[in-house]
Amino acid sequence: MSSIPYILEERPDTGLNNAKLGIWIFLASEVMLFGGLFSAYVFLRFAAPEGDFDYWGSKLSVPMATFNTMVLITSSVTMVMSWASLKLQQFDKYKMYLGITILCAAAFLFVKYFEYTGKFHHGIYPSSSTFMGIYFTLTGLHVLHIIGGMVVLIFFWTKQADKMWAENQDLLANRIEIIGLYWHFVDLVWIFLFPILYLL
Amino acid sequence: MSDNHHHEENFFQKYIWSVDHKIIGIQYGITSLLFLLFGFSLMAVMRYQLAYPEAVIPYIGEWFFSESGGVMLPENYNTLGAMHGTIMIFLGVVPLAVGAFGNYLVPLQVGAPDMAFPKLNAASYWSYFVGGVVMMASFFTPEGAARSGWTSYPPLSIFESGQTMWLLGMVFLITSSLLGSMNIIVTIVQLRAPGLTWFRLPFFVWSQLVTSFLLILAFPPLEAAAVLQLMDRIAGTSFFLPSGLVYAGSAVEAYGNGSPLLWQHLFWFLAHPEVYVLILPAIGIVGEVLANNTRKPLWGYKSLVYAISFLGFMSFIVWAHHMFLTGMGQTMSAFFQLTTMIISIPSVVVLTAFFISLWGGSIRFNTPMLFALAFLPMFGIGGLTGLPLGVAASDIFLHDTYYVIGHFHYVVAPGTLFALFAGIYYWFPKITGRQLHEGMGKLHFYPSFLAMNGVFMPMFIQGLAGLSRRMYDGGQQYAHASDVLHWNEFMTISAFILGLAQIPFIVNIFITLSSKKSKDRNPWKATTIEWSAPSPPLPHVNFESAVEVHHGPYEYSVPGKDEDFCPQTTP
Ligand code: HEM
Ligand SMILES: [Cu+2]
């Protein structure tokens, strides 16, 4: 089965390995998913009465979201560092940076949890208004993406990674590069969500 | 080829949890054929109702419609209609065309040992399977299956029962398509054998590539829309509910400010490319069969490739031609009429190139060829009847009539389905090592061809007379339709003949499977790479030795050669 070519080495005429092309195509579909939801947001915002989105938007906590933005940007940086550490053959540093990335993800979820429950305490639910509906839908879907990414990151932080490192260093580096691309994408989505939901 | 020691696989590893693209392709094929049969059966019950409204449905009526004494109620008809459409498209044709044919043939035609990501490939099948189970299970829930049409237009779909299961099922089906098409793209781009340049790819591979791009880019917005509709149903949001809505006599308690039109935009942004997902693989199959049986290169191969690429691109900017009646405005209508007229050009290029391919060929009229030949005029009728629907002035009259049902069924039933049959007859020897019986094939083809036209041609007549679609009584309540109602019985009888005409096909498969294997790996004397593999190709590796490609895909009847075909792998 391992006769499938270009799993790790690049195909000369495309300059890509399979997983790299695969993740780019996957991300293209993700762009369309969030693109669809963003267009829905724009559509609904135009359809809403004057001031409706502004009024409900003002109920969100900008400081919490700003903190979360910082957290995610940090995690993107440490994600790159962990990959770079692998390339520099520094497995311990890899583990440290990946650990920080995972902690950042956890911190993000923790803050999000407080934001959500805070809203519920004030009797604000997705059904409260169109804005709240799209807010919970967009951020909820984003949270699912964070959780999904986190599960994979944790997998590559366990003993499994040590094993892979011992057996096939290039494979581990490739996998970290791929999940890194995904992780940057998830951050990027947040970079769009933050202004349109909290600031506009 | 690093692991040389073989480990024996048990039955489950080999046939159920397999990661071999051939087994997965066959899994897809069997499952989707069963779903096609089921979707057809739902329709047969509907057709009976349309011809004999208010009559007790024979045999099965007392089972399924027991509360009403065996008579089909309007809501039953709606359920059958919605599920027929959903099953035919998402569980039948797409999985057969992309899941089965794409999976089985793409790696072989590019000379690869397997798909690029075998495990994702299996995940794609099982996600499809779960989606199918959810859809089937919805029939047995207290709410019953969805009944808001395959289009699921809100506000109705927000209130009607069964819709939640439909949405959940769709999420699995969408996931499956995304995994599958990602795999196909990477396989085509990355795993082409040495020497297989882009313009040496068989046309079928091109059609799968374009199809996969459509699936990757068009399905996610539907997923987004499905999530929003799910929120409307279970979290009480009102994305698709306008303010001041009254349902079943009482005001709807919701925040409002939503827009039913938003759903239509998101839905058709998927669903228009989706119709090209239904037709492109069919075009690809027909191209292969035509070239092989005319013993001539496919005429205008490069134009065909450019045409379908352009078609794929354009299919993203025509969606609102389904919405001329929504009052979205003159400018929007003008734009989408224009793009719709433009997109018809590449389709005409394809059909023209196919017709010219026949010119001067020494045609072999075997069963695959008959189905492929029938595809041409049928797709032609389907396409040409679409033009009046693309122009707002005529669409205002034709929208939501049986004319529309006739139009798209000509594309998907005698069009796509015939092409898929052609593909099954053509590649059966590769998949099983046995050739389907020709006589029985013809017994399958001719009655199917007549019956298909018997079912769908009168729909144009009924539609032009103004008969609306989705009428549980076949239109009895409308005086203006009374002149064309007598066609209903004729169409229903044709549909049952169409059903009977599939018996030779099913029998043929089983008889052939129990016959002896042939040694000939290339019975059609074809040029493309899959025919140089053993039949069936070897598990997990496909070819006995590494493939190298030296020729274009359709070197038939090259002057000065002894044989009338030159396989791509011949040095
Ligand atoms: C082969 C025989 C087929 C027959 C005789 C048939 C017949 C019908 C009939 C009678 C309707 C209902 C019209 C109405 O009440 O409005 C219908 C609807 C539909 N069919 Fe088929 N059909 C066939 C195959 C297919 C195939 C292969 C596909 C798709 C690939 C398909 C997709 C649909 C869709 C999408 C609808 C609309 C459902 C809705 O109203 O939401 N059909 N068909
Ligand atoms: Cu369309």
Side-chain angles (χ1 to χ4, degrees):
Chain A
M1 269 179 280
S2 46
S3 57
I4 296 171
Y6 309 118
I7 290 183
L8 286 178
E9 77 277 28
E10 288 171 0
R11 185 184 163 109
D13 58 350
T14 61
L16 293 164
N17 60 50
N18 298 345
K20 188 95 109 343
L21 179 61
I23 192 76
W24 281 116
I25 292 168
F26 174 72
L27 291 183
S29 85
E30 291 278 277
V31 167
M32 294 305 286
L33 174 67
F34 282 100
L37 287 165
F38 279 129
S39 345
Y41 167 88
V42 173
F43 195 106
L44 291 167
R45 195 178 171 107
F46 275 117
E50 248 331 283
D52 185 64
F53 267 50
D54 296 333
Y55 169 74
W56 288 97
S58 68
K59 295 191 184 285
L60 300 183
S61 158
V62 180
M64 278 193 180
T66 314
F67 175 77
N68 257 351
T69 311
M70 295 313 199
V71 165
L72 279 194
I73 292 177
T74 313
S75 80
S76 250
V77 175
T78 53
M79 188 73 232
V80 177
M81 308 273 267
S82 72
W83 175 68
S85 311
L86 277 187
K87 286 283 177 189
L88 296 171
Q89 310 281 324
Q90 298 168 327
F91 190 69
D92 291 336
K93 278 207 171 157
Y94 154 76
K95 278 236 161 161
M96 180 186 79
Y97 284 124
L98 197 66
I100 299 178
T101 314
I102 295 169
L103 284 181
C104 285
F108 179 91
L109 292 178
F110 191 66
V111 172
K112 208 73 218 154
Y113 169 79
F114 273 103
E115 267 192 274
Y116 278 177
T117 47
K119 294 284 163 305
F120 297 154
H121 275 305
H122 289 92
I124 298 176
Y125 296 99
S127 58
S128 300
S129 79
T130 312
F131 176 84
M132 281 302 162
I134 198 89
Y135 161 76
F136 277 107
T137 312
L138 275 170
T139 54
L141 216 58
H142 180 253
V143 160
L144 286 181
H145 278 79
I146 296 266
I147 295 177
M150 216 174 134
V151 170
V152 179
L153 290 180
I154 291 176
F155 173 83
F156 283 109
W157 196 71
T158 57
K159 283 270 177 300
Q160 227 39 42
D162 301 55
K163 227 177 92 194
M164 252 172 127
W165 183 246
E167 280 166 11
N168 191 344
Q169 302 197 347
D170 289 341
L171 186 66
L172 182 63
N174 175 268
R175 292 302 180 247
I176 293 302
E177 189 183 357
I178 301 301
I179 174 74
L181 285 172
Y182 170 82
W183 193 252
H184 298 320
F185 172 80
V186 177
D187 291 356
L188 196 67
V189 170
W190 178 258
I191 303 291
F192 276 96
L193 287 180
F194 176 51
I196 68 163
L197 291 175
Y198 291 83
L199 302 181
L200 268 186
Chain B
M1 281 154 225
S2 55
D3 56 338
N4 275 329
H5 47 236
H6 274 267
H7 56 100
E8 277 303 310
E9 293 176 319
N10 64 30
F11 175 82
F12 268 89
Q13 284 166 334
K14 203 161 166 196
Y15 296 111
I16 309 293
W17 305 119
S18 175
V19 293
D20 183 336
H21 76 104
K22 297 181 289 300
I23 302 291
I24 297 174
I26 293 171
Q27 288 174 333
Y28 258 118
I30 295 174
T31 320
S32 57
L33 280 171
L34 289 176
F35 273 121
L36 277 180
L37 189 65
F38 183 65
F40 181 87
S41 318
L42 294 182
M43 186 280 311
V45 186
M46 289 159 72
R47 275 268 35 128
Y48 187 86
Q49 162 81 2
L50 292 173
Y52 314 108
E54 247 109 270
V56 172
I57 310 281
Y59 308 115
I60 57 167
E62 338 160 14
W63 280 65
F64 293 112
F65 314 117
S66 50
E67 291 108 88
S68 47
V71 178
M72 190 191 292
L73 299 175
E75 55 264 38
N76 303 135
Y77 185 84
N78 288 346
T79 296
L80 291 177
M83 294 311 283
H84 160 75
T86 306
I87 288 170
M88 281 299 195
I89 292 181
F90 296 113
L91 290 164
V93 173
V94 176
L96 185 56
V98 182
F101 279 103
N103 236 317
Y104 201 98
L105 293 170
V106 166
L108 286 169
Q109 289 200 329
V110 301
D114 204 321
M115 282 284 200
F117 309 116
K119 283 183 196 145
L120 281 189
N121 202 14
S124 157
Y125 173 76
W126 287 107
S127 179
Y128 159 64
F129 188 84
V130 173
V133 168
V134 171
M135 290 285 184
M136 287 301 104
S138 72
F139 281 98
F140 302 100
T141 56
E143 283 203 351
R147 47 169 89 148
S148 313
W150 83 287
T151 49
S152 295
Y153 275 12
L156 197 61
S157 57
I158 313 288
F159 306 118
E160 276 293 351
S161 50
Q163 190 67 18
T164 305
M165 289 285 269
W166 188 90
L167 291 166
L168 286 177
M170 283 308 293
V171 170
F172 283 102
L173 296 177
I174 293 171
T175 309
S176 151
S177 275
L178 291 180
L179 294 176
S181 42
M182 185 170 119
N183 225 332
I184 289 180
I185 295 175
V186 177
T187 304
I188 296 174
V189 175
Q190 292 284 103
L191 303 195
R192 276 170 295 128
L196 190 59
T197 55
W198 285 101
F199 281 120
R200 279 180 176 174
L201 287 177
F203 184 55
F204 176 78
V205 174
W206 275 106
S207 74
Q208 289 284 335
L209 184 65
V210 177
T211 304
S212 301
F213 269 108
L214 297 188
L215 285 171
I216 279 282
L217 299 177
F219 251 140
L222 181 70
E223 192 154 21
V227 170
L228 293 177
Q229 195 174 97
L230 210 55
M231 290 291 283
D232 270 7
R233 284 183 66 90
I234 57 186
T237 56
S238 48
F239 296 124
F240 301 128
L241 297 179
S243 305
L245 196 65
V246 175
Y247 175 72
S250 53
V252 171
E253 269 187 54
Y255 186 77
N257 285 343
S259 165
L261 269 193
L262 173 59
W263 169 268
Q264 295 193 20
H265 280 298
L266 290 172
F267 178 83
W268 286 112
F269 187 84
L270 154 88
H272 190 87
E274 179 79 8
V275 305
Y276 289 99
V277 169
L278 298 171
I279 198 68
L280 282 175
I283 291 177
I285 293 172
V286 170
E288 298 298 302
V289 176
L290 284 185
N292 176 252
N293 288 305
T294 54
R295 316 304 294 161
K296 269 180 60 193
L298 206 51
W299 193 88
Y301 163 80
K302 277 196 183 174
S303 329
L304 281 168
V305 170
Y306 292 132
I308 60 168
S309 312
F310 181 63
L311 193 98
F313 170 75
M314 286 302 290
S315 71
F316 285 102
I317 46 173
V318 297
W319 78 88
H321 62 205
H322 298 272
M323 299 167 61
F324 287 138
L325 262 71
T326 57
M328 59 185 179
Q330 291 284 317
T331 330
M332 290 277 273
S333 291
F335 175 78
F336 284 102
Q337 288 178 67
L338 184 68
T339 54
T340 305
M341 292 305 119
I342 294 174
I343 203 176
S344 63
I345 297 169
S347 319
V348 173
V349 171
V350 169
L351 212 52
T352 312
F354 281 176
F355 273 118
I356 300 179
S357 295
L358 302 176
W359 191 270
S362 50
I363 299 177
R364 303 190 302 209
F365 289 96
N366 47 32
T367 313
M369 187 60 170
L370 288 177
F371 276 106
L373 284 175
F375 169 91
L376 300 178
M378 297 295 101
F379 176 56
I381 294 176
L384 289 176
T385 52
L387 290 178
L389 299 172
V391 178
S394 38
D395 183 54
I396 286 172
F397 177 73
L398 296 170
H399 186 80
D400 257 347
T401 64
Y402 262 93
Y403 180 90
V404 177
I405 306 280
H407 148 67
F408 74 74
H409 279 90
Y410 260 96
V411 178
V412 292
T416 301
L417 282 189
F418 274 11
L420 293 173
F421 281 133
I424 294 175
Y425 282 96
Y426 183 64
W427 278 293
F428 202 82
K430 181 50 56 190
I431 298 168
T432 64
R434 303 168 175 91
Q435 206 163 342
L436 285 164
H437 191 267
E438 273 293 311
M440 273 206 273
K442 288 180 178 144
L443 198 60
H444 175 206
F445 170 73
Y446 287 107
S448 295
F449 182 74
L450 292 177
M452 276 285 187
N453 285 283
V455 185
F456 296 117
M457 191 59 86
M459 289 193 182
F460 292 126
I461 303 171
Q462 290 191 326
L464 286 168
L467 179 58
S468 300
R469 67 190 276 202
R470 294 177 174 163
M471 304 296 284
Y472 90 103
D473 63 353
Q476 306 254 322
Q477 53 193 296
Y478 284 132
H480 67 254
S482 55
D483 285 346
V484 292
L485 285 189
H486 63 273
W487 281 109
N488 273 339
E489 192 169 9
F490 175 79
M491 289 150 75
T492 298
I493 294 170
S494 302
F496 280 93
I497 295 177
L498 179 61
L500 293 179
Q502 307 314 304
I503 294 176
F505 173 59
I506 299 170
V507 173
N508 199 350
I509 287 187
F510 283 103
I511 292 189
T512 308
L513 281 180
S514 58
S515 68
K516 237 180 68 138
K517 255 193 197 174
S518 142
K519 285 248 164 357
D520 187 0
R521 57 173 70 177
N522 189 3
W524 308 113
K525 305 209 178 315
T527 50
T528 42
I529 302 171
E530 75 272 28
W531 299 101
S532 59
S535 305
L538 305 175
H540 296 301
V541 292
N542 288 339
F543 301 92
E544 290 117 328
S545 56
V547 176
E548 236 182 275
V549 179
H550 305 276
H551 299 276
Y554 306 114
E555 295 199 0
Y556 287 106
S557 309
V558 179
K561 294 229 170 149
D562 301 342
E563 279 188 311
D564 76 338
F565 72 110
C566 174
Q568 285 188 277
T569 48
T570 308

